[in-house]
Amino acid sequence: GESVGLHLPTLSVQEGDNSIINCAYSNSASDYFIWYKQESGKGPQFIIDIRSNMDKRQGQRVTVLLNKTVKHLSLQIAATQPGDSAVYFCAALYSTLTFGKGTMLLVSP
Amino acid sequence: DGGITQSPKYLFRKEGQNVTLSCEQNLNHDAMYWYRQDPGQGLRLIYYSQIVNDFQKGDIAEGYSVSREKKESFPLTVTSAQKNPTAFYLCASSTIAGEPSYEQYFGPGTRLTVT
């Protein structure tokens, strides 16, 4: 079956640093990927998505990079702020969205 | 406001009782989903529905049941057959056409505790 996984369960950064959260997927059949942010006790919120015909997509302070050759996805957050502290999930679309386990981003002032 | 609502936020039940979690959306989305989230884990799909009166099992459907009698509503029943029902339950909805995206919109979740 398909699987989606994140490399690190926790990432600690200083305020103002750039953060990079990585994700790998097992099945190259997916042509759509999405990143969510989940704050404690809340539902996930959409951050950014990317289709497989793209290598890079930028949003406000966030960039998603897709490397289809090695089946790797990353989320870059520029100038990380304390409000960015949350769990970040990647997901790949197969018959439905398959989610990774999440990386907790901890931002210290 | 357009959105997806879940109620209640916290739910407590005794072991052996069935319990139904509510999910409503006014986004006019065709598809709705139920996920279970355990501490330190990702989201695992329980059931999903792409059209009224039809639904499909996800990865962990055993011990759960759903109905989709209205487009706006997708209630989840956690039955006494579910061995470890204590968890955070998330409902989501989406379009099915993938335009502009396949984004799923999530509700705030229901934390179910069974003792």
Side-chain angles (χ1 to χ4, degrees):
Chain A
E2 298 89 8
S3 70
V4 177
L6 287 163
H7 294 297
L8 281 178
T10 305
L11 175 65
S12 295
V13 301
Q14 293 282 114
E15 182 178 359
D17 287 352
N18 295 335
S19 302
I20 300 176
I21 301 172
N22 296 303
C23 184
Y25 57 97
S26 63
N27 189 334
S28 57
S30 178
D31 61 2
Y32 178 85
F33 304 88
I34 190 167
W35 281 98
Y36 281 93
K37 171 185 179 183
Q38 186 180 26
E39 297 175 348
S40 182
K42 297 183 179 180
Q45 293 177 291
F46 171 85
I47 303 173
I48 192 167
D49 59 3
I50 188 167
R51 293 179 189 262
S52 59
N53 59 355
M54 302 172 71
D55 297 322
K56 179 180 178 178
R57 192 164 186 222
Q58 288 184 291
Q60 188 176 14
R61 279 202 306 120
V62 295
T63 301
V64 55
L65 299 177
L66 177 62
N67 186 329
K68 295 178 286 294
T69 303
V70 295
K71 290 181 279 189
H72 183 270
L73 189 68
S74 68
L75 176 71
Q76 300 179 2
I77 304 173
T80 313
Q81 302 167 1
D84 294 327
S85 292
V87 178
Y88 291 80
F89 293 97
C90 63
L93 180 65
Y94 298 106
S95 53
T96 58
L97 280 179
T98 299
F99 287 82
K101 290 187 178 180
T103 288
M104 178 174 286
L105 177 64
L106 300 172
V107 183
S108 50
Chain B
D1 275 31
I4 182 164
T5 58
Q6 292 183 242
S7 61
K9 189 167 177 63
Y10 299 96
L11 191 53
F12 298 88
R13 279 292 183 272
K14 295 287 187 187
E15 197 174 314
Q17 293 178 334
N18 291 356
V19 59
T20 296
L21 282 59
S22 167
C23 179
E24 304 277 333
Q25 56 99 359
N26 61 4
L27 300 167
N28 199 33
H29 285 164
D30 290 303
M32 296 186 74
Y33 312 82
W34 274 105
Y35 294 91
R36 172 186 171 129
Q37 186 174 32
D38 294 285
Q41 300 294 314
L43 280 63
R44 292 186 290 168
L45 183 63
I46 304 173
Y47 269 98
Y48 66 103
S49 167
Q50 294 187 314
I51 194 169
V52 173
N53 291 324
D54 190 39
F55 46 82
Q56 284 77 43
K57 292 181 179 180
D59 300 319
I60 55 164
E62 186 176 347
Y64 299 98
S65 66
V66 293
S67 62
R68 187 87 186 276
E69 297 177 2
K70 298 187 301 181
K71 187 176 183 178
E72 301 81 18
S73 179
F74 191 40
L76 173 75
T77 297
V78 184
T79 75
S80 56
Q82 168 48 234
K83 290 182 172 48
N84 293 299
T86 294
F88 189 49
Y89 290 88
L90 286 159
C91 180
S93 69
S94 73
T95 63
I96 57 173
E99 295 297 335
S101 79
Y102 292 99
E103 175 189 353
Q104 291 182 13
Y105 293 74
F106 284 86
T110 291
R111 188 166 299 279
L112 173 64
T113 303
V114 177
T115 57

